[in-house]
Amino acid sequence: MIKYKSAEEIELMRESAQLVSKTLGMLAPLLVPGAIPLELDKKAEEFIRDHGGIPGFLGMYDFPNTLCMSPNAQVVHGIPGKTPLQEGDIMSVDCGVLMNGFYGDHAYTFPIGDVDADTARLLEDTKASLYAGIREVKAGNRVGDIGAAIQEYTESRGYGVVRELVGHGLGKQMHEEPQVPNYGKRGRGKKIQEGLVIAIEPMINLGTQRIKQLPDGWTILTADGKNSAHFEHDVAVVNGQPEILSTFQYIYDALGMEPAEYEKL
Ligand code: MG
Ligand code: MG
């Protein structure tokens, strides 16, 4: 059953989402060659607790860390380790927070120094596909419209869309109904209505859509070893229109970047 949120609940959820956003902004300038993922994970945990939140992933389904850190061919659910980041890597950082009784959950894939042209294009196109999906989050549309928009945007550019992992409803639970796939057919799936809050999170591969899992039981990686990108926002339906509760602005401020044109809804 989908749990639709009141205006008051959406305001509380915005605070949870924004704490994730601030955490990603705090990490952004630290994601450089030589950085140790496990140390960044500890910093993130401290930052979240200092700001009145609880790490949302830590201990959930027995996940051992605050952040999912998934470099290069890892798609999602990577466990922060001690291998230093290298120039040319990419790193998906996914973070969850529990605050005010509600979860925030969002993610950004960072280039580490300079990355090759195909990978740079993958990052930009995956982020753009997230916004193509967000634009469909309108009262009267259906959940299938979101996935269809993401799939059309990315497959037309030659990428593989991961099928096995999907976005989700968000609220007092990290994973609520409905599931929000990154592929689909227009006009299919649950109707979108006022108070729906979902996490949309395209996972897009440079090569094949197929994935495999490491023996650690967590890490998902591409079957062909090519790079994969992941961007995630928390989105509410307010006055029938999409409202993004999370923001990349803290990342942009930290890195001296401007939002792209497509980010203006
Ligand atoms: Mg999520
Ligand atoms: Mg996430």
Side-chain angles (χ1 to χ4, degrees):
M1 203 186 69
I2 297 177
K3 297 190 177 99
Y4 297 95
K5 276 74 182 180
S6 68
E8 292 75 19
E9 288 174 319
I10 288 172
E11 283 320 303
L12 293 174
M13 292 194 72
R14 191 192 308 276
E15 289 183 28
S16 309
Q18 292 277 319
L19 180 50
V20 178
S21 306
K22 288 173 191 164
T23 306
L24 295 177
M26 179 276 292
L27 293 169
L30 306 178
L31 286 152
V32 293
I36 310 288
L38 190 59
E39 291 176 2
L40 300 183
D41 180 74
K42 294 292 166 236
K43 275 196 177 30
E45 177 175 0
E46 226 176 85
F47 185 87
I48 291 166
R49 294 191 192 281
D50 283 351
H51 288 77
I54 297 168
F57 297 163
L58 186 64
M60 175 172 284
Y61 318 118
D62 290 328
F63 188 76
N65 293 89
T66 294
L67 303 174
C68 292
M69 298 184 78
S70 311
N72 303 329
Q74 294 187 12
V75 179
V76 286
H77 301 167
I79 297 174
K82 293 180 180 163
T83 307
L85 303 184
Q86 288 185 38
E87 177 84 21
D89 283 348
I90 56 171
M91 177 62 86
S92 154
V93 181
D94 192 354
C95 180
V97 153
L98 177 61
M99 199 167 69
N100 303 322
F102 288 96
Y103 282 96
D105 171 23
H106 88 112
Y108 195 93
T109 302
F110 297 86
I112 308 302
D114 280 329
V115 301
D116 67 79
D118 283 348
T119 297
R121 190 173 55 86
L122 170 72
L123 295 184
E124 191 58 27
D125 288 340
T126 303
K127 186 160 57 167
S129 80
L130 167 60
Y131 285 85
I134 289 170
R135 285 197 163 73
E136 301 293 332
V137 186
K138 289 179 189 163
N141 275 10
R142 290 182 181 270
V143 168
D145 297 331
I146 302 169
I150 294 169
Q151 183 180 14
E152 285 160 14
Y153 191 92
T154 51
E155 286 188 349
S156 68
R157 287 165 173 78
Y159 302 112
V161 179
V162 173
R163 301 296 203 271
E164 291 86 345
L165 297 142
V166 298
H168 49 93
L170 187 70
K172 291 187 173 167
Q173 305 295 323
M174 175 76 76
H175 298 120
E176 296 188 354
E177 287 182 41
Q179 291 201 344
V180 184
N182 298 304
Y183 60 94
K185 290 203 162 48
R186 290 184 186 276
R188 300 275 181 87
K190 284 264 185 320
K191 221 175 205 159
I192 293 170
Q193 56 184 56
E194 194 71 11
L196 180 73
V197 182
I198 52 176
I200 305 179
E201 49 180 317
M203 289 155 255
I204 308 297
N205 301 343
L206 210 39
T208 179
Q209 68 185 51
R210 287 182 303 108
I211 55 170
K212 54 189 183 183
Q213 190 169 36
L214 285 185
D216 65 16
W218 280 107
T219 311
I220 305 290
L221 66 171
T222 58
D224 61 7
K226 291 189 179 169
N227 280 345
S228 181
H230 174 222
F231 289 83
E232 180 176 23
H233 265 320
D234 300 338
V235 183
V237 181
V238 177
N239 299 323
Q241 297 296 315
E243 197 168 304
I244 307 177
L245 303 180
S246 45
T247 178
F248 294 148
Q249 195 57 51
Y250 294 101
I251 295 170
Y252 298 158
D253 288 347
L255 300 181
M257 292 167 64
E258 294 289 333
E261 213 39 53
Y262 59 71
E263 293 182 60
K264 291 164 194 157
L265 291 188

